Each structure stands twice: as structure tokens, then as C-alpha cells.
Amino acid sequence: MTVTATATGADLQAGAASPSTTAEPHEKAVPKAGVPGDGIFLVGKDIQAGTYRSEGKNKYGCYWARLRDTTGEDSAIIANGNAQGPAIVKVAAGDRAFQTSDCKPWKKIA
């Protein structure tokens, strides 16, 4: 899906968006700084392989999982955990995805 926004001259004078902005979901550069929130993120597409650190849980408990596929089956889990405090996880280049829920932001440290 492509989203295109076009601004008029009046919009540009008012500080609106540039004349033509195109966004392609999942076709943007892989974030280098960390994991962008809760969800399942494809390694090499949504996030980079590497070592990540979180300060731990937001409210209930910080769940994370390294996944070999995105089927949702228990057999897809390479490793997982429920961190109450700070956590460090090494996401390997061979992992298919990384899942996280209710964690403070994951920052790439290596």
C-alpha cells in the first residue's frame, strides 16, 4: 500500500508536509537504535540482529522471545523470558523474528 500526501502552496507556507511524501510500509530502512515497541519484528527487515537491552517491565512483566518462524507455535520459540528488571537479549542473524510485550524500550547496545 502506498500513501501519498500532496500539500498546496498555502499548506507549505503554514509549515505542512512537503509537496509529495510517499511511505511504503515495511520497505523503510531497518531501525538502528532499537526495537520500536510491542509486537513481532522480523530480523533484517524491522530490526537488526544484535544485542539489545531493556530496563524491564512497563506494568505487568516484560515478555520477550527469539523466534525461528512466525507461526505462533511453541516450537517457533528459540529462547524467551519474562524480565521483571533489566534484560539483555542477543538477537542472532539467523533468528526469523523478535517478539516483545510490555517492556520498556529495547536499545541496541552491540
Side-chain angles (χ1 to χ4, degrees):
M1 176 178 147
T2 300
V3 177
T4 303
T6 304
T8 65
D11 292 334
L12 291 173
Q13 288 177 355
S18 61
S20 180
T21 305
T22 302
E24 291 290 336
H26 299 290
E27 291 185 15
K28 48 191 161 180
V30 177
K32 295 182 180 179
V35 178
D38 288 351
I40 297 174
F41 303 94
L42 299 177
V43 177
K45 191 167 190 173
D46 299 322
I47 65 167
Q48 295 180 337
T51 304
Y52 292 84
R53 176 176 168 57
S54 171
E55 291 302 318
K57 67 182 181 171
N58 271 331
K59 189 171 182 182
Y60 300 108
C62 168
Y63 175 77
W64 62 267
R66 293 175 46 225
L67 304 173
R68 65 177 42 88
D69 60 47
T70 56
T71 61
E73 301 292 327
D74 287 342
S75 61
I77 299 171
I78 298 167
N80 67 350
N82 284 296
Q84 296 301 312
I88 295 176
V89 176
K90 183 174 183 181
V91 177
D95 294 356
R96 176 73 175 128
F98 179 71
Q99 179 178 3
T100 180
S101 176
D102 201 33
C103 299
K104 292 189 177 168
W106 290 94
K107 295 179 182 162
K108 192 166 190 283
I109 59 173

